[in-house]
Amino acid sequence: MKRKVVTTQDGSKTIRLEEWDEHYHSTHGAIQESQHVYIEAGLNYFTARTQAKSISVLEAGFGTGLNALLTYSWSQKSDIQIDYRGIEAFPISEDERQALEYHQKIDGEDIESVFKKLHQAPWEDWSEISKSFRLKKQKLFFSDLDLKNEADVVFYDAFGPRVQPELWEKSVFQSFYLALKPGGIFVTYSVKGTARRALQAIGFEVDIIEGPPGKRHMMRAYKPC
C-alpha cells in the first residue's frame, strides 16, 4: 500500500496511507496527540498512581517510532527505567524515517541519533538504547501476541476502526489483557462504542477521558488487581 510522509497541524509529520485515506497519527498534530494520549494519559498517570521507578511498555503499532521516541525523552527527564516492546507487522523504510524529522520538534541533543537507533535496532532481540531505556521490536500481527503479565502500560495505536475494525474486537484485545500485569493500564485514542464494550467484556474497567487537541475524548482502561 502506498505511503506518503505529510505534515500535520502542529508542524510534526506523519505517514498517510493513500488507498485508505488513513494516517498514522492525528492530522491535528502527530506529536501533540502522542504526547497527550500515551505520555500524559499513560505514563504520567501510571507513575503518579503507582510511584513506579521502572515501567514495562507494550506498544501495539510501533509504526513511525514516535511513541517510543517520546517515551525515551520522558524517561530521561523522569529518571525512570523503561523496557519498551513494540510490535509491528509492516515496518517503515529508512527513507520514511529520515523524512519524518522528529528531532526538529522534540527537545534533546541526542534525539536524532536515538531515533535512528530505535529504527536500526535488530528485531526480536532486546537492545540497550541508553542506560535507562531498552527496546525490543517484534514483527508480528496483534493477534499473534503471546505474553502473560509482562506489561505495566499498553499503548494501543492501531489504525482506526473505520479501516481495520478487526483490530478493535474482543479476540484481539484479549491478548493485550493477558499481557498486562494486574493493575496495568491500556490507553488508546479511540472511543468507538464497540471497542469500549469489547474491552469491558474481557474484564477491563474503562474510563472515557479528555482527548488530545482536535478530538474530544480518548479511552483509558484498567486491568483489575
Side-chain angles (χ1 to χ4, degrees):
M1 190 176 298
K2 187 176 180 180
R3 303 188 296 208
K4 180 181 181 181
V5 174
V6 298
T7 302
T8 65
Q9 289 180 20
D10 69 355
S12 61
K13 296 179 181 179
T14 190
I15 293 176
R16 178 175 182 261
L17 295 174
E18 298 192 347
E19 183 178 331
W20 285 353
D21 188 24
E22 179 77 352
H23 297 79
Y24 278 55
H25 308 97
S26 171
T27 56
H28 294 283
I31 287 178
Q32 68 182 9
E33 178 194 40
S34 290
Q35 184 71 30
H36 180 96
V37 175
Y38 302 109
I39 306 303
E40 295 175 12
L43 294 175
N44 280 342
Y45 177 83
F46 183 81
T47 303
R49 188 184 190 195
T50 65
Q51 303 301 308
K53 295 301 181 183
S54 64
I55 299 174
S56 176
V57 176
L58 169 61
E59 181 181 17
F62 185 80
T64 66
L66 175 57
N67 294 333
L69 186 63
L70 288 173
T71 300
Y72 165 82
S73 178
W74 177 87
S75 73
Q76 304 309 295
K77 298 170 185 175
S78 305
D79 194 27
I80 291 175
Q81 176 71 42
I82 298 288
D83 282 349
Y84 197 103
R85 186 191 302 261
I87 61 175
E88 176 62 57
F90 303 102
I92 67 170
S93 69
E94 175 61 13
D95 286 345
E96 288 169 328
R97 182 198 70 78
Q98 292 183 21
L100 289 165
E101 298 180 325
Y102 287 139
H103 63 281
Q104 295 186 6
K105 296 292 182 179
I106 300 173
D107 293 335
E109 293 182 1
D110 58 346
I111 288 297
E112 185 173 8
S113 63
V114 167
F115 188 49
K116 185 176 181 179
K117 278 185 181 181
L118 294 176
H119 281 280
Q120 293 186 347
W123 292 82
E124 315 305 335
D125 292 313
W126 285 104
S127 298
E128 186 175 285
I129 304 301
S130 73
K131 290 183 179 179
S132 61
F133 191 98
R134 292 199 314 153
L135 171 70
K136 184 176 185 178
K137 299 182 298 183
Q138 293 182 271
K139 288 183 183 178
L140 55 93
F141 294 104
F142 295 178
S143 56
D144 294 330
L145 181 69
D146 185 19
L147 297 175
K148 301 292 186 294
N149 298 326
E150 292 196 30
D152 296 301
V153 180
V154 167
F155 294 171
Y156 200 78
D157 203 12
F159 289 125
R162 176 181 65 85
V163 297
Q164 285 197 302
E166 68 276 10
L167 299 183
W168 300 86
E169 295 177 351
K170 181 178 174 182
S171 58
V172 174
F173 288 152
Q174 180 71 33
S175 297
F176 291 92
Y177 183 86
L178 294 174
L180 269 174
K181 300 174 186 177
I185 65 171
F186 173 108
V187 285
T188 187
Y189 63 88
S190 178
V191 290
K192 189 171 178 64
T194 52
R196 174 178 53 81
R197 291 188 290 273
L199 289 169
Q200 291 171 327
I202 59 178
F204 277 111
E205 299 171 6
V206 181
D207 284 343
I208 305 299
I209 62 175
E210 181 182 357
K215 187 172 179 62
R216 183 176 297 178
H217 297 123
M218 60 166 282
M219 280 195 295
R220 183 166 58 212
Y222 314 81
K223 182 175 181 177
C225 295

